[in-house]
Amino acid sequence: QVQLLESGGGLVQAGGSLKLSCAASGRAFSNYAMGWFRQTPGKERAIVAAISYHSSVTYYERSLKARFTISRDNAKNTVYLQMNDLRPDDTAVYYCAGANTVVNVPRTEKEYDAWGQGTQVTVSS
């Protein structure tokens, strides 16, 4: 199983951008589909985006597709989330997740078996 560590969160003004990174260590990162989820207090963790092990397939929560981009660099064992035109309702803890599959791009929390500790993103109005 991979170990995941997110970075890149912080405070940004509305309309700004942030790029989150998730560094993986441990077993073969390139065999893992990767996802980004986010969670706000009192709500369940929700998927933001996901990417297949070879980057050829991506999935986005429909309302975020125009502003967020997921990518990965298997040579660096890292997955990224570029977030543009951020809004106050994007404020959340963002989690990186890994699923040991080369078959599909998981979209639900229960399909992922490795999680980072989360990074806080706060968007001020």
Side-chain angles (χ1 to χ4, degrees):
Q1 185 171 338
V2 296
Q3 290 78 49
L4 304 173
L5 182 63
E6 303 97 334
S7 62
L11 174 64
V12 63
Q13 289 189 330
S17 298
L18 280 176
K19 187 173 185 177
L20 305 183
S21 299
C22 173
S25 60
R27 302 194 62 181
F29 173 75
S30 59
N31 290 337
Y32 277 69
M34 299 298 295
W36 285 97
F37 288 73
R38 66 185 185 182
Q39 187 173 27
T40 55
K43 294 188 177 180
E44 293 185 354
R45 203 151 41 180
I47 192 164
V48 172
I51 189 167
S52 64
Y53 77 106
H54 45 49
S55 301
S56 64
V57 179
T58 56
Y59 168 81
Y60 293 92
E61 198 286 321
R62 186 167 54 183
S63 66
L64 301 176
K65 187 173 183 178
R67 299 186 292 119
F68 289 15
T69 302
I70 189 170
S71 62
R72 67 189 293 164
D73 184 338
N74 286 349
K76 295 183 178 180
N77 282 7
T78 303
V79 62
Y80 305 97
L81 184 68
Q82 176 68 45
M83 305 185 293
N84 298 326
D85 190 25
L86 283 161
R87 304 166 182 172
D89 60 4
D90 292 319
T91 296
V93 177
Y94 284 71
Y95 295 91
C96 173
N100 191 0
T101 177
V102 298
V103 174
N104 62 346
V105 179
R107 303 180 182 185
T108 64
E109 187 177 355
K110 65 180 180 180
E111 297 176 273
Y112 287 85
D113 50 22
W115 291 87
Q117 84 293 343
T119 186
Q120 176 70 46
V121 171
T122 302
V123 184
S124 63
S125 57

mmCIF file of all heavy atoms in Angstrom, residues 9-18 38 67-68 83-92 94 120-125:
data_model
loop_
_atom_site.group_PDB
_atom_site.id
_atom_site.type_symbol
_atom_site.label_atom_id
_atom_site.label_comp_id
_atom_site.label_asym_id
_atom_site.label_seq_id
_atom_site.Cartn_x
_atom_site.Cartn_y
_atom_site.Cartn_z
ATOM 1 N N GLY A 9 -1.859 23.339 0.220
ATOM 2 C CA GLY A 9 -3.033 24.054 0.691
ATOM 3 C C GLY A 9 -2.660 25.393 1.304
ATOM 4 O O GLY A 9 -1.480 25.721 1.468
ATOM 5 N N GLY A 10 -3.683 26.172 1.609
ATOM 6 C CA GLY A 10 -3.425 27.467 2.220
ATOM 7 C C GLY A 10 -4.606 28.391 2.070
ATOM 8 O O GLY A 10 -5.722 27.956 1.760
ATOM 9 N N LEU A 11 -4.343 29.668 2.296
ATOM 10 C CA LEU A 11 -5.355 30.708 2.218
ATOM 11 C C LEU A 11 -5.185 31.466 0.906
ATOM 12 O O LEU A 11 -4.071 31.901 0.578
ATOM 13 C CB LEU A 11 -5.215 31.661 3.396
ATOM 14 C CG LEU A 11 -6.107 32.901 3.407
ATOM 15 C CD1 LEU A 11 -7.573 32.494 3.510
ATOM 16 C CD2 LEU A 11 -5.718 33.822 4.561
ATOM 17 N N VAL A 12 -6.272 31.628 0.179
ATOM 18 C CA VAL A 12 -6.228 32.333 -1.097
ATOM 19 C C VAL A 12 -7.496 33.163 -1.231
ATOM 20 O O VAL A 12 -8.549 32.807 -0.688
ATOM 21 C CB VAL A 12 -6.085 31.334 -2.273
ATOM 22 C CG1 VAL A 12 -7.287 30.408 -2.355
ATOM 23 C CG2 VAL A 12 -5.841 32.037 -3.584
ATOM 24 N N GLN A 13 -7.391 34.259 -1.946
ATOM 25 C CA GLN A 13 -8.571 35.087 -2.182
ATOM 26 C C GLN A 13 -9.419 34.494 -3.292
ATOM 27 O O GLN A 13 -8.911 33.770 -4.170
ATOM 28 C CB GLN A 13 -8.147 36.508 -2.558
ATOM 29 C CG GLN A 13 -7.560 37.313 -1.404
ATOM 30 C CD GLN A 13 -7.353 38.759 -1.764
ATOM 31 O OE1 GLN A 13 -7.113 39.097 -2.922
ATOM 32 N NE2 GLN A 13 -7.457 39.637 -0.767
ATOM 33 N N ALA A 14 -10.686 34.797 -3.253
ATOM 34 C CA ALA A 14 -11.587 34.355 -4.313
ATOM 35 C C ALA A 14 -11.052 34.800 -5.667
ATOM 36 O O ALA A 14 -10.576 35.935 -5.820
ATOM 37 C CB ALA A 14 -12.985 34.898 -4.075
ATOM 38 N N GLY A 15 -11.133 33.885 -6.629
ATOM 39 C CA GLY A 15 -10.592 34.150 -7.957
ATOM 40 C C GLY A 15 -9.152 33.695 -8.128
ATOM 41 O O GLY A 15 -8.645 33.653 -9.261
ATOM 42 N N GLY A 16 -8.508 33.359 -7.048
ATOM 43 C CA GLY A 16 -7.124 32.915 -7.110
ATOM 44 C C GLY A 16 -6.994 31.448 -7.455
ATOM 45 O O GLY A 16 -7.992 30.749 -7.707
ATOM 46 N N SER A 17 -5.753 30.982 -7.440
ATOM 47 C CA SER A 17 -5.448 29.594 -7.806
ATOM 48 C C SER A 17 -4.553 28.954 -6.760
ATOM 49 O O SER A 17 -3.787 29.639 -6.072
ATOM 50 C CB SER A 17 -4.734 29.545 -9.168
ATOM 51 O OG SER A 17 -5.548 30.046 -10.201
ATOM 52 N N LEU A 18 -4.667 27.654 -6.672
ATOM 53 C CA LEU A 18 -3.768 26.844 -5.857
ATOM 54 C C LEU A 18 -3.493 25.545 -6.594
ATOM 55 O O LEU A 18 -4.363 25.058 -7.343
ATOM 56 C CB LEU A 18 -4.380 26.518 -4.492
ATOM 57 C CG LEU A 18 -4.344 27.555 -3.382
ATOM 58 C CD1 LEU A 18 -5.107 27.032 -2.163
ATOM 59 C CD2 LEU A 18 -2.928 27.924 -2.999
ATOM 60 N N ARG A 38 -12.779 16.151 -1.041
ATOM 61 C CA ARG A 38 -12.780 17.273 -0.115
ATOM 62 C C ARG A 38 -13.909 17.104 0.882
ATOM 63 O O ARG A 38 -14.924 16.437 0.596
ATOM 64 C CB ARG A 38 -12.879 18.607 -0.846
ATOM 65 C CG ARG A 38 -14.185 18.867 -1.580
ATOM 66 C CD ARG A 38 -14.085 20.187 -2.355
ATOM 67 N NE ARG A 38 -15.345 20.540 -2.991
ATOM 68 C CZ ARG A 38 -15.503 21.622 -3.745
ATOM 69 N NH1 ARG A 38 -14.484 22.449 -3.987
ATOM 70 N NH2 ARG A 38 -16.685 21.880 -4.293
ATOM 71 N N ARG A 67 -12.930 24.272 -13.706
ATOM 72 C CA ARG A 67 -11.962 25.049 -12.921
ATOM 73 C C ARG A 67 -10.824 24.207 -12.358
ATOM 74 O O ARG A 67 -9.764 24.737 -12.031
ATOM 75 C CB ARG A 67 -12.686 25.742 -11.764
ATOM 76 C CG ARG A 67 -13.764 26.702 -12.208
ATOM 77 C CD ARG A 67 -14.346 27.475 -11.017
ATOM 78 N NE ARG A 67 -15.095 26.617 -10.111
ATOM 79 C CZ ARG A 67 -14.781 26.431 -8.824
ATOM 80 N NH1 ARG A 67 -13.723 27.041 -8.306
ATOM 81 N NH2 ARG A 67 -15.521 25.646 -8.064
ATOM 82 N N PHE A 68 -11.011 22.904 -12.227
ATOM 83 C CA PHE A 68 -10.016 22.036 -11.604
ATOM 84 C C PHE A 68 -9.427 21.079 -12.634
ATOM 85 O O PHE A 68 -10.125 20.610 -13.536
ATOM 86 C CB PHE A 68 -10.651 21.212 -10.474
ATOM 87 C CG PHE A 68 -11.024 22.003 -9.244
ATOM 88 C CD1 PHE A 68 -11.095 23.390 -9.247
ATOM 89 C CD2 PHE A 68 -11.332 21.339 -8.071
ATOM 90 C CE1 PHE A 68 -11.448 24.103 -8.119
ATOM 91 C CE2 PHE A 68 -11.687 22.031 -6.924
ATOM 92 C CZ PHE A 68 -11.756 23.409 -6.945
ATOM 93 N N MET A 83 -6.242 24.093 -9.113
ATOM 94 C CA MET A 83 -7.542 24.692 -8.828
ATOM 95 C C MET A 83 -7.502 26.164 -9.211
ATOM 96 O O MET A 83 -6.682 26.922 -8.671
ATOM 97 C CB MET A 83 -7.885 24.536 -7.342
ATOM 98 C CG MET A 83 -7.829 23.091 -6.869
ATOM 99 S SD MET A 83 -8.366 22.909 -5.157
ATOM 100 C CE MET A 83 -7.052 23.768 -4.294
ATOM 101 N N ASN A 84 -8.342 26.543 -10.136
ATOM 102 C CA ASN A 84 -8.392 27.916 -10.625
ATOM 103 C C ASN A 84 -9.727 28.562 -10.285
ATOM 104 O O ASN A 84 -10.718 27.875 -10.023
ATOM 105 C CB ASN A 84 -8.186 27.941 -12.139
ATOM 106 C CG ASN A 84 -6.835 27.400 -12.557
ATOM 107 O OD1 ASN A 84 -5.829 27.559 -11.853
ATOM 108 N ND2 ASN A 84 -6.789 26.756 -13.715
ATOM 109 N N ASP A 85 -9.735 29.885 -10.315
ATOM 110 C CA ASP A 85 -10.957 30.650 -10.047
ATOM 111 C C ASP A 85 -11.640 30.157 -8.773
ATOM 112 O O ASP A 85 -12.848 29.851 -8.773
ATOM 113 C CB ASP A 85 -11.909 30.566 -11.246
ATOM 114 C CG ASP A 85 -13.085 31.514 -11.141
ATOM 115 O OD1 ASP A 85 -12.955 32.538 -10.432
ATOM 116 O OD2 ASP A 85 -14.135 31.230 -11.749
ATOM 117 N N LEU A 86 -10.882 30.066 -7.732
ATOM 118 C CA LEU A 86 -11.403 29.513 -6.484
ATOM 119 C C LEU A 86 -12.486 30.408 -5.890
ATOM 120 O O LEU A 86 -12.455 31.640 -6.018
ATOM 121 C CB LEU A 86 -10.269 29.310 -5.497
ATOM 122 C CG LEU A 86 -9.400 28.073 -5.794
ATOM 123 C CD1 LEU A 86 -8.061 28.170 -5.089
ATOM 124 C CD2 LEU A 86 -10.137 26.811 -5.394
ATOM 125 N N ARG A 87 -13.423 29.740 -5.246
ATOM 126 C CA ARG A 87 -14.570 30.405 -4.648
ATOM 127 C C ARG A 87 -14.634 30.073 -3.163
ATOM 128 O O ARG A 87 -14.110 29.037 -2.745
ATOM 129 C CB ARG A 87 -15.851 29.940 -5.341
ATOM 130 C CG ARG A 87 -15.825 30.162 -6.841
ATOM 131 C CD ARG A 87 -16.937 29.401 -7.535
ATOM 132 N NE ARG A 87 -16.871 29.587 -8.989
ATOM 133 C CZ ARG A 87 -17.631 28.912 -9.852
ATOM 134 N NH1 ARG A 87 -18.519 28.025 -9.405
ATOM 135 N NH2 ARG A 87 -17.515 29.143 -11.148
ATOM 136 N N PRO A 88 -15.305 30.905 -2.369
ATOM 137 C CA PRO A 88 -15.396 30.592 -0.932
ATOM 138 C C PRO A 88 -15.979 29.202 -0.639
ATOM 139 O O PRO A 88 -15.561 28.558 0.330
ATOM 140 C CB PRO A 88 -16.301 31.715 -0.409
ATOM 141 C CG PRO A 88 -15.986 32.873 -1.302
ATOM 142 C CD PRO A 88 -15.793 32.263 -2.666
ATOM 143 N N ASP A 89 -16.888 28.741 -1.482
ATOM 144 C CA ASP A 89 -17.449 27.413 -1.207
ATOM 145 C C ASP A 89 -16.520 26.271 -1.617
ATOM 146 O O ASP A 89 -16.873 25.096 -1.469
ATOM 147 C CB ASP A 89 -18.839 27.242 -1.832
ATOM 148 C CG ASP A 89 -18.854 27.401 -3.323
ATOM 149 O OD1 ASP A 89 -17.770 27.572 -3.930
ATOM 150 O OD2 ASP A 89 -19.952 27.352 -3.911
ATOM 151 N N ASP A 90 -15.335 26.588 -2.119
ATOM 152 C CA ASP A 90 -14.304 25.567 -2.321
ATOM 153 C C ASP A 90 -13.516 25.323 -1.031
ATOM 154 O O ASP A 90 -12.672 24.416 -0.983
ATOM 155 C CB ASP A 90 -13.330 25.987 -3.423
ATOM 156 C CG ASP A 90 -13.973 26.022 -4.799
ATOM 157 O OD1 ASP A 90 -14.759 25.111 -5.116
ATOM 158 O OD2 ASP A 90 -13.703 26.972 -5.556
ATOM 159 N N THR A 91 -13.768 26.137 -0.026
ATOM 160 C CA THR A 91 -13.089 25.959 1.249
ATOM 161 C C THR A 91 -13.405 24.589 1.832
ATOM 162 O O THR A 91 -14.569 24.215 1.981
ATOM 163 C CB THR A 91 -13.515 27.058 2.243
ATOM 164 O OG1 THR A 91 -13.078 28.325 1.743
ATOM 165 C CG2 THR A 91 -12.921 26.811 3.617
ATOM 166 N N ALA A 92 -12.348 23.842 2.140
ATOM 167 C CA ALA A 92 -12.522 22.466 2.630
ATOM 168 C C ALA A 92 -11.151 21.891 2.969
ATOM 169 O O ALA A 92 -10.120 22.484 2.644
ATOM 170 C CB ALA A 92 -13.185 21.585 1.568
ATOM 171 N N TYR A 94 -8.823 19.066 1.774
ATOM 172 C CA TYR A 94 -8.669 18.273 0.556
ATOM 173 C C TYR A 94 -7.793 17.052 0.859
ATOM 174 O O TYR A 94 -6.715 17.181 1.440
ATOM 175 C CB TYR A 94 -8.050 19.119 -0.551
ATOM 176 C CG TYR A 94 -9.041 20.083 -1.157
ATOM 177 C CD1 TYR A 94 -9.486 21.196 -0.449
ATOM 178 C CD2 TYR A 94 -9.561 19.862 -2.428
ATOM 179 C CE1 TYR A 94 -10.423 22.066 -0.985
ATOM 180 C CE2 TYR A 94 -10.491 20.735 -2.983
ATOM 181 C CZ TYR A 94 -10.916 21.839 -2.254
ATOM 182 O OH TYR A 94 -11.844 22.696 -2.797
ATOM 183 N N GLN A 120 -5.642 21.787 4.262
ATOM 184 C CA GLN A 120 -6.723 22.774 4.338
ATOM 185 C C GLN A 120 -6.594 23.789 3.209
ATOM 186 O O GLN A 120 -5.514 24.349 2.976
ATOM 187 C CB GLN A 120 -6.673 23.508 5.674
ATOM 188 C CG GLN A 120 -7.704 24.620 5.824
ATOM 189 C CD GLN A 120 -9.122 24.099 5.953
ATOM 190 O OE1 GLN A 120 -9.381 23.163 6.702
ATOM 191 N NE2 GLN A 120 -10.055 24.709 5.215
ATOM 192 N N VAL A 121 -7.690 24.028 2.528
ATOM 193 C CA VAL A 121 -7.791 25.099 1.542
ATOM 194 C C VAL A 121 -8.867 26.055 2.034
ATOM 195 O O VAL A 121 -10.001 25.641 2.273
ATOM 196 C CB VAL A 121 -8.142 24.557 0.151
ATOM 197 C CG1 VAL A 121 -8.449 25.694 -0.809
ATOM 198 C CG2 VAL A 121 -6.995 23.693 -0.382
ATOM 199 N N THR A 122 -8.502 27.316 2.169
ATOM 200 C CA THR A 122 -9.444 28.336 2.614
ATOM 201 C C THR A 122 -9.474 29.445 1.576
ATOM 202 O O THR A 122 -8.432 30.006 1.235
ATOM 203 C CB THR A 122 -9.053 28.902 3.980
ATOM 204 O OG1 THR A 122 -8.990 27.839 4.926
ATOM 205 C CG2 THR A 122 -10.073 29.936 4.438
ATOM 206 N N VAL A 123 -10.668 29.745 1.089
ATOM 207 C CA VAL A 123 -10.842 30.780 0.079
ATOM 208 C C VAL A 123 -11.623 31.923 0.711
ATOM 209 O O VAL A 123 -12.764 31.740 1.139
ATOM 210 C CB VAL A 123 -11.578 30.244 -1.158
ATOM 211 C CG1 VAL A 123 -11.661 31.331 -2.226
ATOM 212 C CG2 VAL A 123 -10.879 28.999 -1.698
ATOM 213 N N SER A 124 -11.020 33.085 0.754
ATOM 214 C CA SER A 124 -11.674 34.247 1.354
ATOM 215 C C SER A 124 -12.395 35.054 0.288
ATOM 216 O O SER A 124 -11.964 35.123 -0.858
ATOM 217 C CB SER A 124 -10.643 35.112 2.060
ATOM 218 O OG SER A 124 -9.702 35.616 1.131
ATOM 219 N N SER A 125 -13.470 35.668 0.713
ATOM 220 C CA SER A 125 -14.276 36.452 -0.241
ATOM 221 C C SER A 125 -13.799 37.889 -0.332
ATOM 222 O O SER A 125 -12.961 38.328 0.439
ATOM 223 C CB SER A 125 -15.746 36.422 0.173
ATOM 224 O OG SER A 125 -15.888 36.912 1.479
#
